[in-house]
Amino acid sequence: MGEFELIRHFFAAAPCAQGGNGVALGIGDDCALLELPAGEQLAVSTDTLVAGVHFPAVCDPSLLGQRSLAVAASDLAAMGATAIGFTLALTLPEVSADWLQAYTQGLQRMAHRCRMSLIGGDTTRGPLSITVTVFGRVPAGQALRRDGARPGDLLCVGGNLGNAAGALPLVLGERQAPAEQAQALLAQYWSPMPQLTLGELLRGHATAALDVSDGLLADCGHIARASGVALEVNQHQVPVSTELEAFLGRDAAVHAALTGGDDYVLAFTIPAAQHQALQLPGFIHVHVIGRVLDGQGVTLRDRQGRDITPTQRGYQHFRETP
Amino acid sequence: MGEFELIRHFFAAAPCAQGGNGVALGIGDDCALLELPAGEQLAVSTDTLVAGVHFPAVCDPSLLGQRSLAVAASDLAAMGATAIGFTLALTLPEVSADWLQAYTQGLQRMAHRCRMSLIGGDTTRGPLSITVTVFGRVPAGQALRRDGARPGDLLCVGGNLGNAAGALPLVLGERQAPAEQAQALLAQYWSPMPQLTLGELLRGHATAALDVSDGLLADCGHIARASGVALEVNQHQVPVSTELEAFLGRDAAVHAALTGGDDYVLAFTIPAAQHQALQLPGFIHVHVIGRVLDGQGVTLRDRQGRDITPTQRGYQHFRETP
């Protein structure tokens, strides 16, 4: 099967809206065409996943399909944007109809959950790698940026942290866990649900936001630096799942929650009054885990208020090289 | 140097407009934010270049920087869009400050020529691969699509074809050529100039357009299929450069022009009256090379009008696989 046939066959079945949800022209021409309602801005983000670096080279392509879109769509949630669509640049070492079918199914499942359409892309031969570029829309001036945190704001997260990091030894086949623990942790790794609803509800309330992808402390550092403030995290308030605690024990679970990446839960700062006013649906659990202060940097405190900040902050892809 | 420092250092110097040319928020947050004037649509396209497949693994990173943006921006030209900006997903086997500096310089040079800003991206570790997603704007309904060619239209191209294909043995170090031939051919390969001005001028005149990237005959096939028409190409009218003809001889030069990819010259269909009315600047040379007819498929004709259509049509990435 030639390249063009390949693309047509597998991605023709994808949910490529024509004329709906801001997509004026989808797959098949030199460019896709998007439309924006008056007074809205387009949010854009790009994420690459490389086999052997961001996921195991041998894995379930259906799960990979879910995850590759979810991690990119999470950046839209972090900006408070409403998801529209995405382009997919897929580099494959060889063409396998089975692989493509399973991958596309997973991709479609996540696209459906996020209400996004595949609007274009590129398919090339090479080492397995996936770059997804996502598009959303947000009323002008209401995007949740990283630079708006102010002293006095509360620091919050949108759910349990550390599950994806806890899942890693399971993903890599290095450890086993009881079925219910494995299921909860692996779900967070393979199909993190982008918090798009939470992001939209935070518009006009939160002062800064991002999605936790590098690890909570590292990501709090991004907000602190961009906003020119200090962030204080209370370790005992950082939420971890019962499954993670059962699997790793309390200390290691908390460590995973503080430094592990890939959870794609929102972290945000918000004035206390706005926090009170938030009306969230039952499936969203927001936890206050600290506060914003004058100063700079991130401080981790224990239940007694002692500074227990670790020195290592999150995963950096190129850490080892000079 | 950590990943974040790496990104900041090299891409902070890139031409990332803030607030200009439709870019409301550039690099540094979860998403970039774009704005569109009322009545305009956003054109989006994604292209991946993989080392060892789309360019030699060992090459001048500055030239690679130019080419990686040019091939993507050419899709904006093909839609008649005005370029705005791009995201860059760069996967590197290792961090080299020299490599990054040279790559960024080439990228900046092409961005400047195309009046585009770097608005975001991702840097990951892995086999060398580059995915560029480009953004442009176009008045609603005026984009140059592939499906508007009508019987009676002229078929035209925006310049010489085959230079990039002719350059391949030089790029791969398999052959040598006299300096002036080598210079002309290699320039087309490494820094094809996206025909953005031509694309904009064709809005409201051309009925269909694309950029020649798979080879002229294969790309004409895309227009024929999308528009539901037949295209006839007159081989003796297909323009080739004197350098290509001197390097390859007439027959091989014409073959390169018909089937070689990577030239990124526009091919378009246009009613004869609209063709007459085109007012083009002196640096753009449009050539009539055929016409649109009722029917389907692409026919190649010699000077005497005989059908000399070859069976092989353009390069397909996955041709060899079953």
Side-chain angles (χ1 to χ4, degrees):
Chain A
M1 186 183 283
E3 184 195 5
F4 307 117
E5 284 72 28
L6 170 81
I7 296 169
R8 265 200 295 272
H9 181 73
F10 285 102
F11 296 114
C16 24
Q18 294 271 0
N21 194 24
V23 182
L25 179 67
I27 294 174
D29 215 304
D30 293 288
C31 292
L33 295 173
L34 298 180
E35 278 167 342
L36 272 184
E40 302 218 343
Q41 294 175 321
L42 190 86
V44 177
S45 181
T46 293
D47 273 287
T48 299
L49 299 182
V50 180
V53 178
H54 303 97
F55 61 90
V58 177
C59 67
D60 179 341
S62 161
L63 295 175
L64 183 61
Q66 289 186 50
R67 181 162 189 257
S68 54
L69 178 56
V71 303
S74 181
D75 283 319
L76 296 177
M79 291 300 272
T82 303
I84 297 175
F86 63 102
T87 62
L88 170 70
L90 184 59
T91 301
L92 295 172
E94 59 182 1
V95 176
S96 153
D98 287 347
W99 194 97
L100 272 167
Q101 182 162 12
Y103 179 82
T104 311
Q105 278 175 354
L107 190 74
Q108 282 181 300
R109 199 175 305 126
M110 187 56 69
H112 183 75
R113 288 168 72 176
C114 296
R115 300 184 187 178
M116 301 178 81
S117 311
L118 177 64
I119 62 167
D122 195 11
T123 314
T124 51
R125 186 201 297 278
L128 179 56
S129 169
I130 302 159
T131 297
V132 173
T133 302
V134 291
F135 306 95
R137 55 189 174 76
V138 60
Q142 288 193 35
L144 304 175
R145 298 165 54 151
R146 297 178 174 193
D147 59 3
R150 294 291 167 259
D153 289 350
L154 301 174
L155 173 64
C156 303
V157 292
N160 291 328
L161 293 171
N163 278 358
L168 256 186
L170 304 174
V171 170
L172 298 171
E174 295 169 355
R175 281 188 65 179
Q176 294 211 316
E180 67 194 57
Q181 292 172 24
Q183 196 174 359
L185 303 183
L186 287 171
Q188 190 70 35
Y189 181 87
W190 282 117
S191 58
M193 188 56 210
Q195 297 198 293
L196 289 157
T197 303
L198 176 57
E200 291 180 63
L201 290 170
L202 289 177
R203 291 199 304 238
H205 299 287
T207 51
L210 49 62
D211 60 325
V212 177
S213 55
D214 295 322
L216 177 66
L217 295 181
D219 285 317
C220 284
H222 300 329
I223 290 179
R225 191 162 39 242
S227 299
V229 297
L231 259 60
E232 198 172 72
V233 178
N234 299 316
Q235 179 172 287
H236 65 282
Q237 292 181 316
V238 174
V240 297
S241 69
T242 52
E243 292 88 352
L244 185 68
E245 211 168 320
F247 181 51
L248 294 182
R250 173 73 189 168
D251 285 355
V254 170
H255 181 78
L258 292 171
T259 61
D262 288 342
D263 279 308
Y264 303 101
V265 162
L266 296 192
F268 58 94
T269 59
I270 188 168
Q274 298 286 336
H275 176 254
Q276 292 285 343
L278 276 183
Q279 297 204 325
L280 300 175
F283 67 90
I284 300 178
H285 303 283
V286 162
H287 305 257
V288 178
I289 62 163
R291 56 186 178 145
V292 182
L293 300 167
D294 281 315
Q296 59 181 21
V298 179
T299 306
L300 183 67
R301 300 207 178 273
D302 69 8
R303 198 180 292 267
Q304 285 75 39
R306 288 174 296 207
D307 182 346
I308 52 170
T309 313
T311 51
Q312 177 167 331
R313 291 191 178 172
Y315 175 67
Q316 294 191 8
H317 305 295
F318 291 114
R319 179 190 300 282
E320 308 86 320
T321 54
Chain B
M1 185 181 282
E3 183 195 8
F4 307 117
E5 285 71 29
L6 169 81
I7 295 169
R8 265 200 294 272
H9 182 72
F10 286 101
F11 296 113
C16 27
Q18 294 273 1
N21 194 24
V23 183
L25 180 67
I27 294 173
D29 215 304
D30 293 289
C31 291
L33 296 173
L34 299 179
E35 278 167 341
L36 272 184
E40 302 218 342
Q41 294 175 320
L42 191 85
V44 177
S45 181
T46 293
D47 273 288
T48 299
L49 299 181
V50 179
V53 178
H54 303 96
F55 60 90
V58 176
C59 67
D60 179 341
S62 160
L63 295 175
L64 184 60
Q66 289 186 49
R67 182 161 189 259
S68 55
L69 178 56
V71 303
S74 180
D75 283 319
L76 296 177
M79 291 299 274
T82 303
I84 297 174
F86 63 102
T87 62
L88 171 69
L90 185 58
T91 301
L92 295 171
E94 60 181 1
V95 176
S96 153
D98 287 347
W99 193 96
L100 273 167
Q101 181 161 16
Y103 179 82
T104 311
Q105 278 174 355
L107 191 74
Q108 282 182 301
R109 199 176 305 126
M110 186 55 69
H112 183 74
R113 288 168 72 179
C114 296
R115 300 185 186 176
M116 299 179 84
S117 311
L118 177 65
I119 62 167
D122 195 12
T123 313
T124 49
R125 187 201 297 278
L128 179 57
S129 168
I130 303 160
T131 296
V132 173
T133 302
V134 292
F135 306 95
R137 56 188 173 77
V138 61
Q142 289 193 35
L144 305 175
R145 298 165 56 152
R146 298 179 173 192
D147 59 2
R150 293 292 166 259
D153 290 350
L154 301 175
L155 172 63
C156 303
V157 293
N160 291 327
L161 293 172
N163 279 359
L168 255 187
L170 305 174
V171 170
L172 298 172
E174 296 169 351
R175 280 187 66 181
Q176 294 213 314
E180 69 194 56
Q181 292 172 24
Q183 196 173 359
L185 304 183
L186 288 170
Q188 190 69 34
Y189 182 87
W190 283 117
S191 57
M193 188 57 210
Q195 298 197 293
L196 290 157
T197 302
L198 176 57
E200 291 180 65
L201 290 171
L202 289 177
R203 291 201 303 239
H205 299 287
T207 51
L210 49 62
D211 60 325
V212 177
S213 55
D214 295 322
L216 177 65
L217 296 182
D219 285 316
C220 284
H222 300 328
I223 291 179
R225 193 163 35 242
S227 299
V229 297
L231 260 59
E232 197 171 72
V233 177
N234 299 315
Q235 180 172 286
H236 65 283
Q237 292 181 317
V238 174
V240 297
S241 69
T242 53
E243 292 87 352
L244 184 67
E245 210 168 319
F247 181 52
L248 292 183
R250 173 71 190 170
D251 286 355
V254 169
H255 181 79
L258 292 171
T259 60
D262 287 344
D263 279 307
Y264 302 103
V265 162
L266 296 193
F268 57 94
T269 59
I270 187 168
Q274 298 286 337
H275 176 255
Q276 291 285 343
L278 277 183
Q279 297 201 326
L280 300 175
F283 67 90
I284 300 178
H285 303 285
V286 162
H287 305 257
V288 178
I289 62 162
R291 57 185 177 147
V292 182
L293 300 167
D294 280 316
Q296 60 182 21
V298 179
T299 305
L300 183 67
R301 299 205 178 271
D302 68 9
R303 199 180 292 269
Q304 286 74 39
R306 288 174 296 208
D307 182 345
I308 52 169
T309 314
T311 51
Q312 177 166 331
R313 293 188 176 172
Y315 174 68
Q316 293 192 11
H317 304 296
F318 290 115
R319 180 189 301 283
E320 309 86 319
T321 52

Coordinates of all heavy atoms in Angstrom, one line a residue, chain B residues 142 176 233 260 285:
Chain B
Q142 N -11.2 32.2 0.3 CA -10.3 32.5 -0.8 C -9.1 31.6 -0.9 O -8.2 31.8 -1.7 CB -9.8 34.0 -0.7 CG -10.9 35.0 -1.1 CD -10.3 36.4 -1.3 OE1 -9.2 36.6 -1.8 NE2 -11.1 37.4 -0.9
Q176 N 30.0 14.9 -8.5 CA 30.4 16.3 -8.4 C 29.9 17.0 -9.6 O 29.6 16.4 -10.7 CB 32.0 16.4 -8.3 CG 32.5 15.7 -7.0 CD 33.8 16.4 -6.6 OE1 34.7 16.7 -7.3 NE2 33.8 16.7 -5.3
V233 N -0.3 17.4 -19.5 CA 1.0 18.2 -19.3 C 1.7 18.0 -20.6 O 2.0 16.9 -21.1 CB 1.8 17.6 -18.2 CG1 3.1 18.3 -18.1 CG2 1.0 17.6 -16.9
G260 N 10.7 14.2 -10.1 CA 11.5 14.5 -8.9 C 10.7 15.4 -8.0 O 9.9 16.2 -8.4
H285 N 8.3 33.8 -12.4 CA 8.2 33.4 -13.8 C 7.2 32.2 -13.9 O 7.5 31.1 -13.5 CB 9.5 33.0 -14.4 CG 10.6 34.0 -14.3 ND1 10.6 35.1 -15.1 CD2 11.6 34.2 -13.4 CE1 11.6 35.9 -14.8 NE2 12.2 35.4 -13.8

